[in-house]
Amino acid sequence: MDNLILKGSWNELKGKLKQAYGNLTDDDLKYEEGKEDELLGRLQKKTGKTKDDLKKRFNSAKHTGKEKHTSKEKSSH
C-alpha cells in the first residue's frame, strides 16, 4: 500500500470507512504493518471497490486529517 496508512490516523480512517460501508467489521479493518495488501483484499471483497479506489480514499482521508491538524496548530498560536 506504499505507506498509505499512518498509525496515528488509522483509527480515524477506520471510523470513516465503517460509516461509509456499514457491513465492515473490526476484523475486516484489522491493520497490521507489512500486511497492507491483505487489508486491501478484505476491503475490496466487502466494498466492491478496486484497490486503486481504496488507496485514493486512504490518501484523501490522510490529507484531510493533516489539513485539520494544521489549522488547529495555527489557531492555537
Side-chain angles (χ1 to χ4, degrees):
M1 196 181 300
D2 304 326
N3 297 324
L4 291 177
I5 300 173
L6 299 174
K7 291 180 188 177
S9 64
W10 177 237
N11 285 332
E12 184 179 337
L13 181 55
K14 247 183 9 179
K16 288 179 182 182
L17 288 169
K18 277 187 168 183
Q19 285 179 343
Y21 306 101
N23 63 331
L24 293 176
T25 66
D26 287 335
D27 284 340
D28 294 328
L29 294 166
K30 184 177 178 185
Y31 170 65
E32 294 179 49
E33 198 167 338
K35 295 188 176 185
E36 291 86 359
D37 282 335
E38 289 179 21
L39 171 65
L40 278 175
R42 287 192 305 269
L43 294 177
Q44 191 176 11
K45 283 181 185 177
K46 286 286 219 152
T47 65
K49 299 291 183 186
T50 67
K51 286 185 179 182
D52 284 340
D53 287 339
L54 292 167
K55 287 179 182 181
K56 286 176 188 173
R57 184 169 188 103
F58 291 154
N59 279 329
S60 173
K62 245 179 32 174
H63 292 300
T64 300
K66 284 181 183 177
E67 289 168 9
K68 287 180 182 176
H69 184 68
T70 303
S71 62
K72 285 181 185 176
E73 286 176 352
K74 288 180 181 175
S75 65
S76 66
H77 291 287

